[in-house]
Amino acid sequence: MPRSIWSRWRWELVAEPLSATELARLTLADRADQLRWSAARLPLAADLEAVPDCRLALRRLREVWMALGDQLEPHSTAPQRRLRQLSAELRPLERAEARIRLLLDLLGPLGAPGGLGAPAWRGREPEALRSLLESARLEEATLREQILSRRLISELEAAATLGAVVDRDRDATEAVQLARVRLPLLFEAASRSGRPLEPSRRRRIQRLLHGLELFSPALARQHQVVLSELASLLAQLGPLREWRELVDWVDRAAKQGPADLRPALRRIVVRAELETEAAQESAEIELSRLDQGGWWRTAALACLPERRRSSRSPDG
Amino acid sequence: MAAIDVGSNTVHLLVAAAPEGVHPRPLFRRRAFVQLGLDVAATGSVGPERLELAGRALAAQVQEARRHGARLIAVGATQALRSASNGEEVAEELARRAGVDRLHILSPELEAQLAFDGATLGVTPRAECMVLDIGGASTQVARGPAGGLCRDRSIKVGSGTLLAAVDGDPPTGAEWRGMERLVASRVPRDLDPATGHLVLGTGGTITNLPRLLGKAKGASLRLREVELLLELFRVGPATDLARRSGVDLERVRLCRGGAVILAQLMDLLQLRSVRASERGLRDGMILALLRREEGWWRAEEHLVEVAVGAGG
């Protein structure tokens, strides 16, 4: 199943401006399919990407409703809310899986020295890490059983058929017109910076990425560069959030764990904190390069094609 | 004989009787919290106010030692003056104010050896021992045969270092993490486990920690008891613990950081328990006075002498 129907050749073929209705029709079907496919993979415990992919599909489908809601039926915010609820239901499981992944990164192969370039483990650190991994796996299995019910899978499948495109062939609204309204807002939100790096900034940048992906067929060709820049930025910001959550989780475990393991658990907290700081530093360097160079403004201009000249223009 | 150590937390006097043929017997102890280490941690040097305080405490203790009949007085300083940028000047000024010939700044090796000698006094000779000495600005991990030459690892973190790193009482979550981080960054990565050693703890922190749990001063401590103490420090202010246990508030605050260090060392060295020894650095200084009198502080000669003794 291809991830997107908008392969590069389409750029060369689209001669007429794309209407908002046509964009809605094509993206809704594409993204609904993605949701159905990812929901079908959820019961496969070995598929470590199934839950994140399903949440991504939900977010991308929601973006269709947020940006092209006028072209869809029903005219209400209920589908958006439903998609959001379903995504929230999956969130704890996604986090539990991320914890296992990071702990395995820390532990390295069978607890051998050198996970993430770390020096040899000391004292009861291997035992403490294995106990953390065991707790994380138990938590993940419990959540999997609780969350991934037959009901949820069928609700996810139903969410893929939540709406339909309003058949308004005479609607002359161009997709690019909607993009000109929505994307500058998303660019502006994504560019807002704060020190220290706020967790909400990753979400704002992610929303921009989803918005750009949605309007991709209506945008100037240069937007592909912007998309890839945003994707690489998010690849740096994602682990940062996961490390932060892991630090808090291990810190709680260190306070509640068996007394004999606590000193080792606290050293693991320190090590996870160092990983978090390294991830934060690299994300901040990357973000400040973009912020200080005025990248967001340039990127917004590059993505939105120039308005076509009006036929009534004196120059025309 | 008397020994005074000018430490990072305290200026501490021990007067001991040294009858021929038996171990020295403590007669009198006096302690003053001067906390030179706080100045050094904050500014890198000892400020005039702290110098004044230390000068008065030292002069008073020298007088007391003489009043108790001490013929020889050894005065030594540890990590705070070792690392202070004006350590030498402060040592000269303190000696002048106290009316002693000299205040010797001990090398980490000599400090560890003296503490080892003191702590293992009375242990079966040549029994393999490990001595943990948690001081104000440094921690010594020394191991070797009782009465012989020890191998030392000096760690540049002590109870006073951690006290200077926190403001809150109880410390905030971030402050606790900061303390753990400081300890993790300073403890060497290649500490071998202490298998087959008799493990002794010395210094004010280790000897007082049991009191905070209602045990006798100098009792043994297990890791879970140290963890219990950390839990108590986490949930309530040091004043509560000081009131309940009858230990000085300053000492209780120092014990907090000391417990953080001790828990980490016990895990890294795989220790089930640590037996606190009432003896330590000052007892070692008294022994050195007995052996070498005025030359007690000559590190190289001292170490060679101990090595020869151990070899014979």
Side-chain angles (χ1 to χ4, degrees):
Chain A
M1 168 80 197
R3 273 190 173 271
S4 166
I5 58 171
W6 299 107
S7 52
R8 195 181 172 115
W9 58 265
R10 191 177 169 85
W11 286 99
E12 315 303 331
L13 298 182
V14 176
E16 288 300 310
L18 185 70
S19 77
T21 307
E22 192 186 357
L23 181 64
R25 186 175 292 123
L26 292 167
T27 51
L28 186 67
D30 177 42
R31 292 175 179 209
D33 268 352
Q34 280 180 21
L35 179 56
R36 270 191 289 270
W37 273 94
S38 59
R41 284 163 49 207
L42 283 178
L44 308 172
D47 187 347
L48 295 177
E49 296 301 313
V51 177
D53 279 357
C54 191
R55 291 197 71 218
L56 178 65
L58 285 163
R59 279 197 298 267
R60 296 180 82 224
L61 187 55
R62 194 154 68 93
E63 182 63 27
V64 178
W65 282 92
M66 286 163 80
L68 302 170
D70 284 348
Q71 277 67 38
L72 302 175
E73 283 178 331
H75 285 299
S76 83
T77 54
Q80 280 185 50
R81 279 206 310 276
R82 187 72 196 118
L83 292 167
R84 192 186 186 127
Q85 280 165 3
L86 289 168
S87 179
E89 279 190 49
L90 285 170
R91 192 185 303 136
L93 185 55
E94 188 186 18
R95 289 182 174 176
E97 287 179 349
R99 263 197 296 279
I100 294 174
R101 204 175 54 246
L102 294 185
L103 285 170
L104 284 171
D105 277 354
L106 269 181
L107 192 58
L110 299 174
L116 284 178
W121 293 107
R122 303 183 299 165
R124 299 182 76 175
E125 286 169 12
E127 197 181 333
L129 258 172
R130 276 192 283 271
S131 128
L132 283 176
L133 196 56
E134 206 172 293
S135 307
R137 283 193 169 129
L138 191 66
E139 205 172 295
E140 191 264 352
T142 312
L143 284 169
R144 180 167 280 277
E145 203 172 303
Q146 283 171 356
I147 292 173
L148 295 186
S149 58
R150 193 181 292 272
R151 173 197 63 82
L152 182 76
I153 307 284
S154 55
E155 283 181 10
L156 285 165
E157 283 166 356
T161 58
L162 269 179
V165 178
V166 182
D167 197 7
R168 283 188 299 192
D169 284 342
R170 285 184 205 162
D171 183 357
T173 311
E174 289 178 22
V176 74
Q177 284 176 272
L178 295 182
R180 283 201 182 99
V181 175
R182 182 154 176 82
L183 292 184
L185 297 175
L186 295 177
F187 268 108
E188 201 277 323
S191 69
R192 277 203 308 273
S193 60
R195 283 281 181 280
L197 180 59
E198 305 146 327
S200 67
R201 188 147 190 214
R202 188 192 65 86
R203 288 198 294 276
R204 286 184 266 128
I205 293 171
Q206 200 171 41
R207 262 182 231 138
L208 170 62
L209 178 84
H210 293 150
L212 281 172
E213 280 176 347
L214 179 71
F215 286 109
S216 179
L219 300 181
R221 197 178 295 186
Q222 295 90 315
H223 87 280
Q224 295 287 0
V225 180
V226 177
L227 272 178
S228 97
E229 185 81 60
L230 289 176
S232 98
L233 189 57
L234 284 167
Q236 284 187 310
L237 292 172
L240 171 58
R241 181 196 56 170
E242 289 171 355
W243 278 115
R244 278 181 179 147
E245 286 177 3
L246 184 75
V247 167
D248 293 339
W249 187 79
V250 181
D251 194 37
R252 277 198 300 279
K255 284 173 191 153
Q256 295 158 4
D260 291 352
L261 288 183
R262 281 186 208 159
L265 286 166
R266 290 197 297 270
R267 285 199 302 280
I268 292 169
V269 174
V270 168
R271 195 172 286 193
E273 262 188 332
L274 291 173
E275 297 287 351
T276 311
E277 280 172 19
Q280 169 144 350
E281 196 179 331
S282 104
E284 279 181 341
I285 288 171
E286 189 59 17
L287 270 171
S288 77
R289 179 178 70 81
L290 300 181
D291 291 345
Q292 286 167 11
W295 181 84
W296 301 96
R297 191 175 163 69
T298 316
L301 289 171
C303 289
L304 290 164
E306 286 180 19
R307 287 171 198 274
R308 280 180 298 168
R309 285 179 185 162
S310 155
S311 56
R312 279 184 235 162
S313 158
D315 301 333
Chain B
M1 289 183 179
I4 302 175
D5 87 272
V6 179
S8 303
N9 294 329
T10 58
V11 175
H12 215 135
L13 161 72
L14 168 66
V15 182
E20 213 164 301
V22 291
H23 294 316
R25 186 164 44 86
L27 292 177
F28 178 78
R29 295 176 194 271
R30 179 69 78 211
R31 180 191 62 192
F33 277 101
V34 173
Q35 298 190 301
L36 290 172
L38 284 184
D39 268 17
V40 180
T43 64
S45 62
V46 177
E49 287 171 9
R50 199 75 68 175
L51 174 64
E52 178 65 34
L53 204 60
R56 269 190 272 138
L58 184 60
Q61 291 188 2
V62 168
Q63 278 182 8
E64 281 194 273
R66 287 186 177 136
R67 205 164 45 242
H68 282 82
R71 184 176 56 83
L72 289 169
I73 303 177
V75 189
T78 55
Q79 181 65 25
L81 289 198
R82 260 200 309 266
S83 57
S85 58
N86 58 349
E88 288 291 345
E89 295 92 311
V90 170
E92 276 176 30
E93 181 60 22
L94 287 178
R96 191 187 63 73
R97 291 187 189 196
V100 290
D101 291 344
R102 198 167 159 194
L103 190 164
H104 299 280
I105 298 180
L106 308 177
S107 67
E109 295 78 22
L110 180 59
E111 181 190 344
Q113 184 66 54
L114 293 172
F116 187 82
D117 292 346
T120 57
L121 196 65
V123 174
T124 313
R126 294 170 196 251
E128 279 298 316
C129 294
M130 172 180 277
V131 173
L132 306 181
D133 181 5
I134 300 179
S138 68
T139 296
Q140 318 295 328
V141 179
R143 59 181 103 196
L149 186 63
C150 71
R151 286 167 289 125
D152 162 57
R153 298 302 298 263
S154 181
I155 306 168
K156 284 193 179 168
V157 67
S159 54
T161 322
L162 297 187
L163 182 64
V166 299
D167 286 328
D169 187 15
T172 63
E175 285 174 332
W176 276 108
R177 283 193 197 166
M179 286 195 277
E180 293 289 348
R181 202 162 163 165
L182 196 57
V183 175
S185 68
R186 303 270 172 96
V187 175
R189 301 205 67 83
D190 54 348
L191 280 182
D192 295 328
T195 41
H197 288 74
L198 169 65
V199 183
L200 298 165
T202 180
T205 296
I206 293 186
T207 50
N208 278 290
L209 279 173
R211 287 180 68 195
L212 302 182
L213 287 171
K215 297 171 86 172
K217 186 178 181 185
S220 288
L221 274 175
R222 286 177 299 166
L223 178 55
R224 62 187 50 197
E225 289 171 320
V226 181
E227 284 295 326
L228 175 61
L229 272 171
L230 285 171
E231 194 58 36
L232 292 174
F233 278 122
R234 202 183 290 279
V235 297
T239 41
D240 282 2
L241 267 174
R243 199 179 57 244
R244 279 206 300 270
S245 62
V247 179
D248 294 340
L249 181 58
E250 289 89 344
R251 177 56 74 190
V252 174
R253 288 199 176 117
L254 290 165
C255 280
R256 182 174 59 205
V260 172
I261 298 170
L262 182 60
Q264 290 296 337
L265 285 179
M266 288 182 81
D267 178 58
L268 293 170
L269 297 165
Q270 297 176 23
L271 307 178
R272 288 188 177 179
S273 66
V274 173
R275 201 172 89 192
S277 167
E278 288 269 30
R279 292 175 164 147
L281 175 61
R282 290 171 295 283
D283 302 81
M285 288 162 75
I286 297 274
L287 277 178
L289 271 178
L290 273 171
R291 286 172 183 156
R292 306 193 55 79
E293 299 203 338
E294 254 100 28
W296 68 271
W297 54 275
R298 289 185 209 279
E300 284 177 14
E301 290 172 30
H302 175 88
L303 296 179
V304 168
E305 181 183 294
V306 174
V308 169

